[in-house]
Amino acid sequence: MSAVVAAKLARAMEECSINFPLLDSALWVTLARGGRGLKGSAGYRIVATAGQRPLAKDGTVPTGAEAQAELCFSTCAEILAEAGMGAKDVVRINAFVTGREHMAGYMAARDAWLASTDHLPASTLAIVSGFTRPECFVEIEVTAAAK
C-alpha cells in the first residue's frame, strides 16, 4: 500500500464518528457476530489485504466453504504476521461467498479465527455470482490497525 493511500485510510479512520467499543442498540439486529464499525486513532499502522482466494500453496482448492474460508483466513494471518499483526488487530472483514448455502461454513471459520480476540471487527458478507475459478466459493479481505 502506498504511503498516500495509507495516510488517506488513517485519516478516514480518525474522522469516523463511531467509537470503539460499539454501542449495543435495540435497533441494531444482526444475523451473525460482527461489529457495526470502529474508530481509529492517530499513530496506528494499517494493513489491508487484497481479496484472498482459497488456493493452497500447491494450487489446489479445498472442498467446502468452511475449509476454503479457513485457508483464506490462514493466508490473511500470514500477511498480517509479516507486519507484526494478527487477528486481534483486525478492524474490518469483507467476505464474499457464491451462495447462501456457503454462509454457515464461512461464518464458522470466521468465528473460530476471531475466537481469541477481545473485539469484533466491522464485517460485511456479500453473496456474489462467482469467481474466476468456479471451484472457489469464498474470498476474504481484511484490514488491520496496530500501533
Side-chain angles (χ1 to χ4, degrees):
M1 175 184 322
S2 74
V4 171
V5 171
K8 286 180 180 179
L9 183 56
R11 190 169 32 260
M13 289 180 71
E14 287 173 17
E15 294 171 359
C16 180
S17 63
I18 301 173
N19 294 317
F20 179 81
L22 298 170
L23 298 174
D24 288 326
S25 168
L27 297 176
W28 179 253
V29 178
T30 182
L31 298 175
R33 292 171 31 103
R36 292 174 57 190
L38 300 173
K39 178 181 179 183
S41 299
Y44 277 77
R45 296 175 298 117
I46 305 293
V47 171
T49 72
Q52 299 304 305
R53 296 176 296 157
L55 297 175
K57 293 188 186 337
D58 66 2
T60 60
V61 176
T63 57
E66 187 168 356
Q68 289 189 14
E70 287 169 351
L71 181 54
C72 293
F73 279 119
S74 175
T75 305
C76 288
E78 290 174 8
I79 294 166
L80 295 175
E82 289 180 24
M85 295 184 194
K88 67 180 177 26
D89 301 304
V90 172
V91 296
R92 177 138 186 87
I93 299 173
N94 290 326
F96 310 92
V97 297
T98 58
R100 284 179 178 78
E101 66 275 16
H102 303 304
M103 290 172 58
Y106 160 76
M107 291 187 299
R110 182 209 51 212
D111 291 350
W113 193 62
L114 294 174
S116 65
T117 64
D118 62 353
H119 73 280
L120 296 175
S123 184
T124 298
L125 174 59
I127 298 171
V128 298
S129 63
F131 300 113
T132 55
R133 291 187 61 171
E135 68 272 30
C136 294
F137 307 134
V138 179
E139 185 170 305
I140 300 168
E141 56 188 41
V142 302
T143 304
K147 287 202 176 216

